[in-house]
Amino acid sequence: MKLKLALLTTLLAIALPSHAALKAGDPAPDFKVEAALAGKAYSYALKDALKAGPVVVYFYPSAYTGGCNIQAHTFATQIDQFKAAGATVVGLSLDSIGRLKEFSADPDYCAGKLSVASDADGKIARAYELNVREAAAGRKDSRGQDIDHGFAERTTFVVTPDGRIAATLGGLTPAENVAQALQTVQKLSSASKR
């Protein structure tokens, strides 16, 4: 119990404030959703992923947009470090599964290394108490295609195998968000080895 309390205190110290209402210590809402990895769709369940260790659940506004492209690319290039810390990563947006199949395989972004899931109606983002904005007419992605879906705020949750949020990371640049998530899972890994 003392170890868990010390770990929670440490994680709270590194987690920067976010607009998200769910905070460290809160139960993470479970979800099952259609996801894509390396261009192929599959069914993703948080509960199942947690059996393997901590999960980094990151919400982002839209595939093929500036900050989201940077964040996906950064997660993809550092995915081996997350795995070394025993963690998996899944991104969620309000994109359709069709867009996410392309994004997950795109060598410039997810590069076939990072799972991304479709929260098309924003229900999962709202369960994590994130702000969800409606689609804005005329918005284009970095490929020049119309964006026809709403946007969840960029926030990352590190969820421990017991289904609790260890850290909530928001208000950061996309690259800082990934760095903080990696630091959090590395601290979890170190604490579990003691």
Side-chain angles (χ1 to χ4, degrees):
M1 184 68 181
K2 287 182 183 180
L3 178 61
K4 281 188 177 183
L5 187 55
L7 177 61
L8 185 58
T9 302
T10 302
L11 293 174
L12 285 171
I14 65 168
L16 298 177
S18 170
H19 293 105
L22 295 183
K23 302 291 182 214
D26 287 342
D30 191 26
F31 58 88
K32 187 173 184 177
V33 67
E34 194 170 12
L37 177 63
K40 303 210 183 314
Y42 72 100
S43 181
Y44 179 93
L46 178 61
K47 184 172 138 182
D48 293 339
L50 288 170
K51 292 175 185 174
V55 177
V56 175
V57 178
Y58 86 94
F59 291 87
Y60 61 98
S62 180
Y64 293 111
T65 58
C68 301
N69 292 347
I70 292 167
Q71 189 172 22
H73 176 77
T74 306
F75 269 120
T77 60
Q78 296 183 15
I79 201 71
D80 289 338
Q81 293 175 48
F82 283 92
K83 289 178 182 177
T88 58
V89 179
V90 64
L92 285 98
S93 69
L94 279 66
D95 288 283
S96 69
I97 194 63
R99 278 175 59 91
L100 293 178
K101 284 169 60 177
E102 293 173 22
F103 193 57
S104 73
D106 195 310
D108 293 328
Y109 308 118
C110 298
K113 298 178 180 181
L114 180 63
S115 290
V116 285
S118 178
D119 179 23
D121 60 5
K123 184 177 177 181
I124 301 166
R126 287 183 187 94
Y128 278 76
E129 299 185 16
L130 297 178
N131 293 322
V132 176
R133 292 179 289 137
E134 296 301 317
R139 299 231 21 205
K140 303 274 186 196
D141 67 19
S142 58
R143 302 173 301 171
Q145 295 182 7
D146 289 330
I147 299 174
D148 62 354
H149 59 80
F151 305 92
E153 70 180 287
R154 183 183 320 283
T155 304
T156 297
F157 299 89
V158 177
V159 183
T160 56
D162 66 355
R164 296 252 171 219
I165 295 170
T168 301
L169 309 167
L172 302 166
T173 68
E176 289 171 336
N177 186 283
V178 176
Q180 288 286 329
L182 180 57
Q183 183 180 24
T184 301
V185 297
Q186 288 171 333
K187 286 184 185 277
L188 283 171
S189 178
S190 293
S192 70
K193 293 176 183 174
R194 290 185 199 154

